[in-house]
Amino acid sequence: MASTMSSALVGQRVALKPSATRKPKTGVQVIAAVQQARKPQVATKVVSKKPQVLTKASELRLLGKAVTAAEELGLIGIIESVGPSLSTIEKLGLLSKGEALIYDRSAPGSISALGAVVAAVGAAAVYTIPDDSTTLVALQVVLAGACALGLGAALTGSSLLRKLQN
């Protein structure tokens, strides 16, 4: 017959079965076993919870600053007239993908790696495009500049996301 116990620290059920081949213990062994059983057990299971990204952003007052800066630059009006509508964004599922990206703890590393790939693509484009004409050199400059901006945006975004997740 097995007796069951619940551990308060881990919350897992443990079944103890009596052994038929158990030798009788001496008094010293019984005392040592009782003392060992009384020692607190430390749980090794680490529970990862969702980072409080929006709470951290509001503490740093990033949301208000971003909206104010976008209004001052007139970006909101430009985005509303040229960019996709909110219903289109919802249909594409970009909001849920963005939320999943915010709460993913590996996202900052992935964004940094993407920035490194963009920089490598820019360097490869400059290396492989020949310097035969002015238009090709201008194309190299445009591609290198765009890839440098992409690298900077990726590193800045990953750093900000890492700070918000901590």
Side-chain angles (χ1 to χ4, degrees), residues 108-120 150-151 154:
S110 301
I111 293 171
S112 295
L114 180 66
V117 168
V118 168
L151 173 64

Side-chain angles (χ1 to χ4, degrees), residues 31-93:
I31 291 173
V34 169
Q35 288 175 347
Q36 181 67 27
R38 287 185 181 171
K39 287 184 182 178
Q41 301 294 322
V42 179
T44 58
K45 183 178 180 183
V46 177
V47 177
S48 115
K49 61 179 184 173
K50 278 188 173 181
Q52 302 295 324
V53 175
L54 293 179
T55 305
K56 186 81 166 188
S58 65
E59 287 174 3
L60 296 174
R61 298 181 185 176
L62 292 177
L63 298 175
K65 290 178 184 178
V67 171
T68 304
E71 286 175 348
E72 288 176 0
L73 293 174
L75 294 176
I76 293 178
I78 293 171
I79 291 172
E80 286 177 348
S81 64
V82 176
S85 65
L86 186 58
S87 62
T88 307
I89 292 172
E90 288 176 353
K91 286 178 187 175
L92 293 174

Side-chain angles (χ1 to χ4, degrees), residues 1-7 12-18:
M1 192 153 49
S3 62
T4 59
M5 298 173 20
S6 292
S7 172
Q12 297 178 347
R13 298 188 63 83
V14 179
L16 301 174
K17 295 181 181 179

